[in-house]
Amino acid sequence: MSILAWIFPLGSGLLDAWNRKIAKESSASRFAFVAFGMLFAIPYFLVWLFFDGVREISTSIWWILLLHGSLLTFLNWLIVEAHRLGDMTAVGSYFSLTPAFALVASPFLFGFPAGNLWGIIGVLVLVGGLYLLNINSERVGLLAPFFAIFRQAGSRYMFYASALAAVTANLNKLGLEAANSSALYLSLMYPWATLFALATAFWYGRYFSKN
């Protein structure tokens, strides 16, 4: 197994903890927070593109970029809000529902195969583990973790984020195929997502400052 398969979950966990700390303590606009987070990733992708080179792209890439970048902004906003409002252990576990949502989104929305039998079983085991993780002595009944989604804002936002992530993951796959290069696609998509997040932060701040 590639070492990246081990580095990614560790790095993701550290990033989530750092995002939670900043989200809890910062009073800045959440969309601005998302925008600057993506902005700092752009130089890395540009350096990667310099070494990887530009390849022929499909014309379908442009609508994928527009949709993916926009949805990615709202996905990250939901994650930031979830960390700000909820308990890290409970909130973070709801994001593990993304593979379950992908089983529906991939074949029905994008025409991708849902995976083999063992993959589906693995997703069901993951969801079952998530459910058990959210059962504790303060909650009574097997449906308590499900109802927590509607009672707790942080859990609800992360639940929405996990569903949206199943869509953005498929858009990411479509974009990578259209660009024929991970470096090229990410170098195009992240600047657009950053610009969209900044524009949304400006509109959001201006609107709510008047109301």
Side-chain angles (χ1 to χ4, degrees), residues 140-157:
V140 181
L142 290 176
L143 294 178
F146 175 77
F147 289 125
I149 297 172
F150 303 98
R151 293 197 309 267
Q152 301 169 6
S155 297
R156 184 165 59 252
Y157 283 154

Side-chain angles (χ1 to χ4, degrees), residues 40-144:
F40 285 118
I42 294 175
Y44 166 78
F45 294 134
L46 292 177
V47 171
W48 184 11
L49 178 63
F50 175 78
F51 289 102
D52 191 59
V54 177
R55 303 171 189 177
E56 183 178 355
I57 62 175
S58 169
T59 54
S60 65
I61 194 174
W62 304 115
W63 75 262
I64 299 173
L65 279 171
L66 291 175
L67 185 58
H68 188 194
S70 304
L71 292 180
L72 187 65
T73 296
F74 288 109
L75 170 61
N76 281 282
W77 178 82
L78 285 170
I79 293 174
V80 170
E81 284 295 287
H83 281 307
R84 184 176 68 87
L85 298 171
D87 174 76
M88 183 174 183
T89 302
V91 164
S93 63
Y94 280 102
F95 200 67
S96 299
L97 287 171
T98 298
F101 286 115
L103 288 178
V104 178
S106 296
F108 290 102
L109 295 180
F110 298 94
F112 293 131
N116 57 37
L117 178 61
W118 287 111
I120 295 174
I121 292 175
V123 170
L124 295 177
V125 170
L126 178 66
V127 172
L130 162 67
Y131 209 79
L132 293 175
L133 180 64
N134 284 277
I135 295 178
N136 59 42
S137 58
E138 298 177 356
R139 297 171 182 157
V140 181
L142 290 176
L143 294 178

